[in-house]
Amino acid sequence: MGIKGLLVALRGHDRRVHVSKFAGRTLAVDVLVWLHQGIVGCATELCTAGPSSTTRHVKYCMDRVELLIRYGVVPLVVFDGASLPSKDGTDAQRAASRARAMAAGNALLAAGQREAARMQFVKAVDVTPDIQHDLMLALRKRGVSFLVAPYEADAQLAFLCASGIADGVITEDSDTLPYRCSTVLFKMERDGSATAIERTPSAAFFRRHKCESGGKVDTISLAGFKDASFLDMCVLAGCDYCPSLPGIGLKNAWRLVRDRGGLQGAIRQLRADGALFGSDSYPADALRAKQTFVYQRVWDPVAGRCVTLRPPEAAAEWGVEPPDLACPAASAFLGPHREPDVATAIARGIIHPETLRPYPGEDLAQVPRALLPAPPDTRCGTPNAAPTPGSGPFTLLKPQVVGSALVTSRPSGLQAKITGAFRPASTTASSYFGSATSRTPVPNAPPSLPSPLGRRRAQRGATALPALYGVKATAGAAPVGLLALSGTCAGEP
């Protein structure tokens, strides 16, 4: 994880602190680190029986949350979101390594070598979104704030620091330093002590003249470096988004950036030296890696939407232009843009960041309506038989099922007699008619279609009535709009 050798090279910049120093302040926690540490003790259970077999990893994390609270720190727990396309190569290598370890662990377990199998399972186990969700439930119960990043937690941590929401971060990932997190606490112990590296102000950070590398003081100096050149050095040394070239470690990367003025100058030198032979894609890969560090998508808790970590106006400061964010192909390596309601549901731990499906037990009212699964349809009273597209001028919209609903669709349109409570998930849809209260307007209701029948009666914010619904759509068109229904079919209408 992170930039190989960076923390060793920055030993002259760190110091030991205690978390009590941050009493009354907010520390954002890269909780993936704690989860990885916690699953070591229950790797066999997780690999052989699944996440529901143990809660030891959750307890491990909650013990550290309680430690922060005990010393007056306000924890803000940050989870990783969806896989970042920029990291596909690294993720694929790690997945292959885990698969090999899993196969070896199962073979050893079958042979009765439980301890040897456990060591392989430690290498094989992965922190999945479902494992993360178990911890989210525990944090909610304790009243501890958390959020799920759209993609990488590192970029989200940096945004929280830059926007003043967090005063520092707790992690083991050195990527937080090129991301320019202000104060980073590494190697937090059970007694609350940690190693701190402070990046604020940046000018003071780069005034240090000597750093240690490989256990000895050498010629690496950050004097004269800026945030952009520090990032260039980290990209050249090899990161999760772009592996280093053969023979290019941290020290050589530092020298190239110092002597050639940045990433592009270093690449030109490497090309002239023949170091790019067989690595034709490296210049483009390195550029995308730098763009990923600067313009990765994060969630803004104040605005309630996805933004880039740095605005496009930061191009001059960081020495790299942003990709064309309006073009999905040009910015595909940053992952797809998430609409505000989707990003918010991800951030709150309501929906899975990869599949966008609700986690079990979550409140469906907080799920964006476009993401709700369609219930089984019925055609002429037969379950699971979908209407034939183009068979009539009307088609069934996908409803959110709160309880159970049996809907009958006919070629001439949707006709369903629903008894029970119902509510529209949106009062702005122009494709449905019917409403939960008589005060809600009925937009664009075709006069040829029946209105809801029966007496309206308010009941706990919904309406209880037998109703006959019609929904307008063009033949064969994709459904638009959404109705949330509950109840049972009272028979053929």
Side-chain angles (χ1 to χ4, degrees):
M1 296 173 64
I3 314 301
K4 184 178 180 179
L6 183 60
L7 294 183
V8 174
L10 294 179
R11 280 181 180 163
H13 296 267
D14 60 8
R15 60 193 179 90
R16 294 297 290 178
V17 299
H18 194 273
V19 294
S20 58
K21 175 189 175 184
F22 298 91
R25 292 192 277 175
T26 298
L27 291 181
V29 179
D30 180 4
V31 79
L32 183 66
V33 172
W34 290 353
L35 280 168
H36 273 297
Q37 293 169 349
I39 62 178
V40 169
C42 53
T44 300
E45 295 95 317
L46 291 172
C47 286
T48 59
S52 61
S53 63
T54 179
T55 59
R56 290 166 63 187
H57 53 295
V58 174
K59 183 180 184 303
Y60 181 96
C61 297
M62 292 304 297
D63 286 346
R64 278 145 187 77
V65 169
E66 294 294 346
L67 182 146
L68 295 176
I69 295 173
R70 185 162 66 249
Y71 285 110
V73 176
V74 180
L76 173 54
V77 179
V78 179
F79 292 86
D80 279 283
S83 299
L84 189 68
S86 281
K87 206 174 175 179
D88 281 348
T90 300
D91 289 342
Q93 292 176 0
R94 292 174 180 172
S97 178
R98 287 194 299 268
R100 288 192 297 269
M102 179 70 80
N106 286 329
L108 289 166
L109 190 63
Q113 302 180 46
R114 294 191 61 84
E115 180 57 25
R118 187 189 71 81
M119 296 301 294
Q120 291 298 320
F121 287 140
V122 167
K123 300 175 185 178
V125 69
D126 188 25
V127 177
T128 64
D130 292 321
I131 289 177
Q132 291 190 146
H133 189 249
D134 291 338
L135 179 56
M136 293 177 208
L137 296 177
L139 292 168
R140 278 192 197 141
K141 186 175 181 180
R142 181 64 175 83
V144 174
S145 298
F146 71 88
L147 65 87
V148 183
Y151 295 100
E152 294 267 274
D154 303 333
Q156 187 68 53
L157 294 167
F159 181 81
L160 294 173
C161 289
S163 58
I165 295 173
D167 299 291
V169 305
I170 298 174
T171 185
E172 297 297 325
D173 196 339
S174 59
D175 275 348
T176 49
L177 296 173
Y179 270 118
R180 199 170 70 179
C181 290
S182 52
T183 299
V184 187
L185 303 185
F186 297 99
K187 304 184 186 304
M188 192 185 88
E189 305 290 347
R190 292 186 178 184
D191 63 357
S193 61
T195 298
I197 296 180
E198 296 188 17
R199 290 287 319 269
T200 304
S202 291
F205 176 75
F206 292 120
R207 277 199 299 268
R208 305 269 185 162
H209 294 293
K210 297 262 184 154
C211 296
E212 292 185 12
S213 181
K216 62 181 181 180
V217 176
D218 59 18
T219 57
I220 292 180
S221 170
L222 294 179
F225 271 52
K226 296 182 179 180
D227 289 314
S229 49
F230 183 70
L231 174 56
D232 289 345
M233 178 187 73
C234 293
V235 170
L236 278 173
C239 61
D240 288 343
Y241 313 132
C242 180
S244 65
L245 293 168
I248 305 296
L250 189 66
K251 185 175 179 179
N252 285 334
W254 162 79
R255 183 183 294 111
L256 282 165
V257 170
R258 182 200 63 183
D259 296 345
R260 299 301 171 185
L263 181 62
Q264 295 306 314
I267 290 175
R268 285 193 294 270
Q269 182 63 53
L270 290 169
R271 181 180 285 111
D273 294 342
L276 296 184
F277 181 76
S279 304
D280 295 339
S281 67
Y282 181 80
D285 294 342
L287 174 62
R288 281 195 295 269
K290 188 171 182 179
Q291 289 175 319
T292 302
F293 272 107
V294 179
Y295 301 110
Q296 191 174 148
R297 303 187 197 276
V298 296
W299 187 64
D300 185 341
V302 177
R305 61 187 179 93
C306 268
V307 298
T308 53
L309 174 57
R310 316 288 176 196
E313 296 77 25
E317 177 187 0
W318 289 90
V320 62
E321 292 291 332
D324 185 357
L325 298 173
C327 176
S331 59
F333 64 95
L334 297 178
H337 171 71
R338 302 299 191 194
E339 292 300 323
D341 56 348
V342 176
T344 300
I346 291 173
R348 292 176 177 172
I350 305 298
I351 62 176
H352 192 292
E354 295 275 9
T355 66
L356 304 185
R357 293 179 179 175
Y359 283 112
E362 291 295 345
D363 182 8
L364 294 182
Q366 299 186 53
V367 178
R369 62 178 188 162
L371 302 180
L372 292 168
D377 292 340
T378 62
R379 185 184 180 196
C380 299
T382 305
N384 300 319
T388 303
S391 59
F394 309 110
T395 186
L396 174 65
L397 276 72
K398 296 180 179 179
Q400 169 193 348
V401 177
V402 180
S404 60
L406 184 62
V407 181
T408 299
S409 178
R410 291 178 174 172
S412 60
L414 166 71
Q415 295 193 11
K417 197 168 185 179
I418 305 297
T419 303
F422 77 96
R423 68 177 187 277
S426 168
T427 57
T428 61
S430 61
S431 58
Y432 76 85
F433 67 91
S435 57
T437 67
S438 58
R439 297 190 302 274
T440 305
V442 179
N444 300 339
S448 59
L449 291 179
S451 296
L453 303 178
R455 182 169 57 88
R456 300 174 185 270
R457 179 167 60 87
Q459 184 180 32
R460 294 195 179 115
T463 301
L465 76 164
L468 198 63
Y469 281 90
V471 182
K472 184 180 182 181
T474 58
V480 290
L482 180 68
L483 285 178
L485 308 172
S486 69
T488 56
C489 182
E492 282 293 314

